[in-house]
Amino acid sequence: MFTSIAPRYDLLNHVLSCNVDRLWWRKTARSFISVLKQPEARVLDLCCGTGDMTFALRRQAGKAEPTILGVDFSHAMLRRAYAKSAGKSLRWIEADALNLPFPDGQFDLITAAFGFRNLANYDSGLREIARLLRPNGECGILDFGEPRGLMGKFYRLYFKHVLPAVGTVISGVKGPYAYLPVSVERFPSPQEMLGRMRRAGFREVSWTPYSFGIAGLYRGKK
Ligand SMILES: C[S@@+](CC[C@H](N)C(=O)[O-])C[C@H]1O[C@@H](n2cnc3c(N)ncnc32)[C@H](O)[C@@H]1O
């Protein structure tokens, strides 16, 4: 599914979010600045797609130049990330987030932007992240939420009707943009997600809503 929308993925992201996506990636990267400023840090961006979260991490790191890897299982998405990353010291790896080719305790920070929600098993995904983190390592999962109140009503109208229609026309593929609202509905509530994170071995778990809860950042420490 992601491979089929790869050619228009960036354009659609920016159009459908009115460019707010850039703000969310930047805000997420900024919240991990203390890790990113350590030159010896090892950072993994899961479900990196065409790499925009990964680039935001690189920008926040500035001159520190920690090791930053982007992982995705869609070859087409990674090719775009690679093409966009000329001159930036980033590495791209094709792998499944549920079965990653790294030994235990390798990373200081693991992020996932708008990708974790798509995993076939959330608990396995969280356990895999916990396995790869060093003690005190941090995880940040940025994903969509469901805003409440009047804002929520307008948003649902947009998300369930306007977004799938525009997404289908621009991508030329029927399906993926209808799947998006369904996957958000299926995603656990913040309360449930935090409970799952605790059970997977994370402490100091928190959820910070972005833009009235349209998106939000889950954080946890190993
Ligand atoms: C909505 S895109 C998000 C891309 C990027 N992180 C961003 O913020 O634009 C979700 C990405 O997750 C990837 N993905 C979904 N399930 C995956 C899995 N099990 N392992 C690796 N990548 C996965 C898809 O291939 C896709 O590129």
Side-chain angles (χ1 to χ4, degrees):
M1 183 183 74
F2 286 104
T3 293
S4 73
I5 57 168
R8 294 283 173 92
Y9 179 77
D10 285 342
L11 171 70
L12 269 161
N13 257 359
H14 304 324
V15 169
L16 293 172
S17 75
C18 304
N19 260 333
V20 180
D21 52 355
R22 296 177 200 274
L23 196 90
W24 293 335
W25 290 314
R26 193 164 61 231
K27 204 167 161 174
T28 299
R30 211 185 301 134
S31 53
F32 294 107
I33 192 126
S34 58
V35 182
L36 295 168
K37 289 290 181 197
Q38 296 168 23
E40 72 288 357
R42 286 177 56 81
V43 179
L44 181 64
D45 182 35
L46 288 179
C47 304
C48 66
T50 59
D52 285 330
M53 180 71 236
T54 329
F55 298 132
L57 295 166
R58 168 88 288 152
R59 274 192 293 276
Q60 285 300 322
K63 292 202 177 99
E65 303 248 326
T67 304
I68 304 181
L69 312 177
V71 164
D72 202 284
F73 67 6
S74 162
H75 189 73
M77 286 286 203
L78 283 180
R79 281 182 69 110
R80 294 198 165 251
Y82 179 74
K84 284 158 63 182
S85 62
K88 299 184 184 86
S89 51
L90 293 164
R91 285 164 60 197
W92 309 103
I93 295 167
E94 194 173 325
D96 182 353
L98 293 175
N99 187 16
L100 290 158
F102 306 110
D104 299 358
Q106 283 275 302
F107 294 95
D108 301 283
L109 170 63
I110 300 183
T111 57
F114 306 109
F116 185 87
R117 174 179 30 89
N118 301 296
L119 298 186
N121 187 319
Y122 302 136
D123 295 323
S124 302
L126 288 170
R127 280 196 299 270
E128 189 64 344
I129 294 174
R131 178 183 77 76
L132 293 180
L133 284 173
R134 291 189 175 133
N136 286 321
E138 295 195 62
C139 121
I141 298 171
L142 169 64
D143 224 308
F144 288 113
E146 295 197 290
R148 292 164 187 270
L150 194 62
M151 173 69 191
K153 279 195 179 140
F154 282 118
Y155 181 69
R156 269 187 289 283
L157 210 65
Y158 170 74
F159 208 57
K160 284 190 173 172
H161 301 287
V162 181
L163 183 146
V166 177
T168 301
V169 170
I170 301 186
S171 69
V173 188
K174 209 175 159 121
Y177 286 89
Y179 156 82
L180 181 56
V182 176
S183 70
V184 173
E185 255 176 23
R186 188 195 68 173
F187 196 55
S189 66
Q191 248 357 43
E192 192 192 327
M193 209 21 216
L194 295 176
R196 284 174 185 248
M197 288 176 78
R198 279 190 208 96
R199 286 194 293 280
F202 291 96
R203 58 191 172 82
E204 297 179 31
V205 297
S206 65
W207 178 70
T208 307
Y210 290 178
S211 310
F212 307 101
I214 291 173
L217 176 65
Y218 294 92
R219 292 186 70 155
K221 253 192 190 175
K222 185 168 170 189

